Amino acid sequence: SYQRVAIRNSAFTSRLYTSDRLGNPLTFNEQGLDTLVTLNLGLFQDRRNSTEWPTQGYRFELATEQSIPVGSADILFNRLSASFTQFVPFQDQTFVFNLQGGTILGDVPPYQAFNLGGSDSVRGYQNGEIGTGQSYVQGTVEYRFPLIEDLDLPYSSALSGTVFADFASDLGSGDSVYGEPGEVRNKPGNGFGLGLGVRLLTDFGPVRLEFAVSDQRDLSAIFKIGERF
């Protein structure tokens, strides 16, 4: 892939920003425009019994992104990430275990770093509120149980409940990111959240409504379409 990365504060402006309001750099290029040429490879294995409403099996993902320093693309890094999810049935209920991790070798542009916190990370936190790191580890445990297995509603067929716990850490790597965006904003680097929610199986896929609280006692509500894992 070929990318030209520029930082702007709105969609319709030609002004580029090389640093944030605290004076920390946002791009490697002093003109505010980075060039990236990368080779992206991925390995994916899905052994779930259903893509929309899984109750058993596993899913594994492994990805790498290698930058190639050619021409004006002088940023050199390799971004590695992996995710494994196991679904364990128990009678008519399901336990879900997910473990993720990743690291960046070489240069770490802030826009390539791992942002922790949010609906796809630790629920109860806002996006990126926990940390912005060169490396990370993240885990989730969910307990899913049926509420109505034969839902007689238009475009909907089942309703279930869920209780979950999330955790993530940047492994102390926040100061390795160019410009240290997590460090200068005093992000904790570690965090966990607890919550519960309901899941509705529709003709358009699963619909999730979740409520979570973080270890900082912040509350959040999440509404999304599609499975998280």
Side-chain angles (χ1 to χ4, degrees):
S1 66
Y2 173 83
Q3 302 176 64
R4 297 275 280 175
V5 181
I7 310 300
R8 297 177 169 88
N9 67 351
S10 64
F12 303 101
T13 179
S14 59
R15 182 180 179 185
L16 304 184
Y17 287 81
T18 60
S19 60
D20 62 18
R21 66 178 61 184
L22 301 176
N24 303 290
L26 297 171
T27 59
F28 274 70
N29 186 279
E30 295 181 355
Q31 305 302 317
L33 187 63
D34 286 345
T35 301
L36 293 177
V37 178
T38 60
L39 176 65
N40 305 279
L41 299 173
L43 174 67
F44 178 75
Q45 188 176 42
D46 193 343
R47 292 292 183 266
R48 297 173 297 170
N49 62 335
S50 169
T51 58
E52 292 186 341
W53 206 253
T55 58
Q56 64 182 6
Y58 68 89
R59 179 179 180 179
F60 173 71
E61 297 177 67
L62 178 65
T64 179
E65 182 181 10
Q66 175 64 55
S67 70
I68 304 172
V70 293
S72 60
D74 56 356
I75 301 175
L76 181 60
F77 67 86
N78 183 276
R79 192 179 194 268
L80 292 164
S81 61
S83 175
F84 180 80
T85 307
Q86 180 73 56
F87 298 84
V88 180
F90 178 72
Q91 297 178 355
D92 59 349
Q93 304 145 59
T94 305
F95 289 93
V96 185
F97 303 92
N98 173 261
L99 182 63
Q100 301 180 37
T103 191
I104 300 174
L105 307 174
D107 300 326
V108 190
Y111 48 82
Q112 285 282 347
F114 299 103
N115 286 310
L116 305 178
S119 60
D120 293 322
S121 178
V122 177
R123 289 161 284 190
Y125 280 91
Q126 299 302 311
N127 290 335
E129 192 177 10
I130 291 179
T132 303
Q134 177 182 9
S135 303
Y136 86 105
V137 65
Q138 177 178 297
T140 292
V141 177
E142 281 193 13
Y143 167 59
R144 298 176 178 178
F145 52 93
L147 294 174
I148 304 176
E149 296 189 30
D150 189 12
L151 189 63
D152 188 17
L153 286 176
Y155 310 109
S156 303
S157 56
L159 182 69
S160 73
T162 179
V163 178
F164 56 83
D166 302 324
F167 171 80
S169 171
D170 68 2
L171 303 174
S173 64
D175 57 357
S176 301
V177 179
Y178 188 62
E180 302 184 16
E183 297 294 300
V184 299
R185 289 166 177 78
N186 296 315
K187 296 182 180 182
N190 302 281
F192 69 87
L194 303 171
L196 51 83
V198 292
R199 302 167 66 247
L200 178 67
L201 180 59
T202 73
D203 294 347
F204 312 102
V207 176
R208 299 184 284 129
L209 177 61
E210 299 166 338
F211 301 92
V213 58
S214 72
D215 55 334
Q216 303 295 322
R217 298 183 181 180
D218 294 326
L219 301 174
S220 67
I222 301 162
F223 178 79
K224 281 209 165 184
I225 298 176
E227 281 284 1
R228 179 175 174 184
F229 307 115

